[in-house]
């Protein structure tokens, strides 16, 4: 078997509070192969989003390691981790995280421009048309619906064709019908681009569509391998 795209080994995260040491994650270990989809599920406060942030190198573990495409993230300084994120990762958040002073097109162009791509406008426009927003290129986030904003966020995440897409409750602020459409689009793009998808969700139906499920309870993980789609 080829080297995993993500390898998490004995990751522990502890913080100090008024009562002493709080363990958020306790020796979490798992691997994911390229093109797999994985849902991280569990009750609020179980450590799901913390784990996602550590996989991204946005938060640091107290102990343990994360390898992304063979690179040990926490052997790098923050600048080097940021460079790995820019080249390997895409992000989709519940709150969209669009820049309000940029149009939909400019929001999607941004990661390409940061890579120095000269075709940023062309590629961003094509991706927005792929997600059904070809008529909204020049609109600012404030005039877009929640579902449209999330589709812009998806376009921005996928336009760089990342090796890994991380999504934190991507439908949490959307109504049921809109959330369903966004998830269909996310899985479609995941298959087309061959991207490894890791998502935090409370939605059991979404989790069951993934190849694997990581159930976190009290900072510990159980891994279920779902049937391959």
């Amino acid at each position: 078997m080829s080297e995993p795209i993500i390898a998490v080994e004995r990751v522990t995260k502890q913080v100090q509070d008024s009562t002493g040491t709080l363990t958020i994650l306790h020796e979490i270990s798992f691997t994911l192969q390229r093109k797999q989809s994985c849902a991280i599920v569990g009750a609020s406060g179980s450590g799901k989003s913390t784990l996602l942030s550590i996989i991204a190198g946005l938060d640091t573990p107290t102990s343990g390691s994360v390898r992304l495409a063979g690179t040990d993230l926490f052997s790098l300084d923050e600048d080097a981790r940021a460079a790995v994120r820019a080249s390997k990762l895409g992000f989709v958040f519940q709150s969209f995280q669009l820049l309000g002073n940029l149009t939909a097109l400019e929001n999607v162009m941004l990661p390409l421009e940061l890579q120095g791509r000269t075709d940023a406008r062309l590629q961003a426009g094509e991706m927005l048309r792929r997600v059904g927003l070809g008529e909204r290129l020049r609109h600012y986030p404030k005039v877009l619906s929640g579902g449209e904003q999330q589709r812009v966020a998806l376009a921005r995440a996928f336009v760089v064709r990342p090796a890994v897409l991380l999504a934190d409750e991507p439908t949490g602020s959307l109504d049921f019908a809109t959330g369903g459409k966004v998830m269909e689009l996310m899985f479609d793009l995941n298959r087309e681009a061959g991207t490894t998808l890791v998502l935090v969700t409370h939605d059991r139906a979404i989790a069951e569509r993934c190849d694997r499920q990581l159930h976190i309870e009290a900072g510990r993980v159980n891994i279920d391998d779902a049937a391959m789609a």
Side-chain angles (χ1 to χ4, degrees), residues 48 92-94 150 167-173 199-203:
K48 303 185 302 299
V92 180
F93 301 98
Q94 179 177 340
Q150 193 61 296
D168 193 356
E169 295 287 1
T171 62
S173 59
L199 61 92
V200 167
T201 182
H202 284 95
D203 189 322

Side-chain angles (χ1 to χ4, degrees), residues 96-113:
F96 316 136
Q97 300 286 348
L98 301 178
L99 297 178
N101 62 328
L102 299 182
T103 64
L105 181 64
E106 291 165 343
N107 266 283
V108 179
M109 287 173 60
L110 186 59
L112 295 170
E113 291 177 326

Side-chain angles (χ1 to χ4, degrees), residues 167-219:
D168 193 356
E169 295 287 1
T171 62
S173 59
L174 304 176
D175 63 72
F176 179 79
T178 303
K181 292 177 182 177
V182 166
M183 286 310 306
E184 285 295 333
L185 181 59
M186 181 176 291
F187 281 111
D188 285 347
L189 292 172
N190 169 245
R191 286 190 293 269
E192 290 173 15
T195 299
T196 301
L197 173 63
V198 184
L199 61 92
V200 167
T201 182
H202 284 95
D203 189 322
R204 181 175 295 275
I206 291 174
E208 289 177 350
R209 292 188 60 180
C210 294
D211 300 326
R212 307 183 73 183
Q213 296 178 37
L214 276 64
H215 295 267
I216 297 185
E217 184 176 354

Side-chain angles (χ1 to χ4, degrees), residues 5-144:
I5 186 70
I6 296 171
V8 176
E9 185 173 357
R10 302 188 66 157
V11 162
T12 294
K13 178 67 176 182
Q14 295 176 323
V15 297
Q16 300 297 319
D17 65 11
S18 59
T19 63
T21 301
L22 174 65
T23 300
I24 299 174
L25 298 173
H26 184 77
E27 294 197 342
I28 303 290
S29 297
F30 66 92
T31 61
L32 291 175
Q33 299 297 322
R34 295 178 187 275
K35 302 183 181 182
Q36 280 192 310
S37 57
C38 177
I40 302 175
V41 297
S44 296
S46 60
K48 303 185 302 299
S49 293
T50 298
L51 177 58
L52 201 70
S53 293
I54 289 173
I55 293 171
L58 293 168
D59 195 0
T60 57
T62 304
S63 61
S65 67
V66 175
R67 298 183 70 85
L68 179 64
T71 299
D72 184 348
L73 288 180
F74 299 107
S75 69
L76 308 175
D77 62 25
E78 178 50 40
D79 287 344
R81 284 201 299 274
V84 171
R85 283 195 294 272
S87 63
K88 301 291 186 184
L89 295 178
F91 300 89
V92 180
F93 301 98
Q94 179 177 340
S95 56
F96 316 136
Q97 300 286 348
L98 301 178
L99 297 178
N101 62 328
L102 299 182
T103 64
L105 181 64
E106 291 165 343
N107 266 283
V108 179
M109 287 173 60
L110 186 59
L112 295 170
E113 291 177 326
L114 292 174
Q115 291 183 350
R117 295 275 294 271
T118 59
D119 61 345
R121 182 173 295 273
L122 174 64
Q123 294 299 323
E126 288 183 356
M127 182 56 72
L128 282 166
R129 282 186 279 275
R130 171 66 185 84
V131 300
L133 294 175
E135 302 300 317
R136 308 289 261 169
L137 303 185
R138 294 178 176 81
H139 288 71
Y140 289 90
K142 66 181 180 181
V143 300
L144 299 176

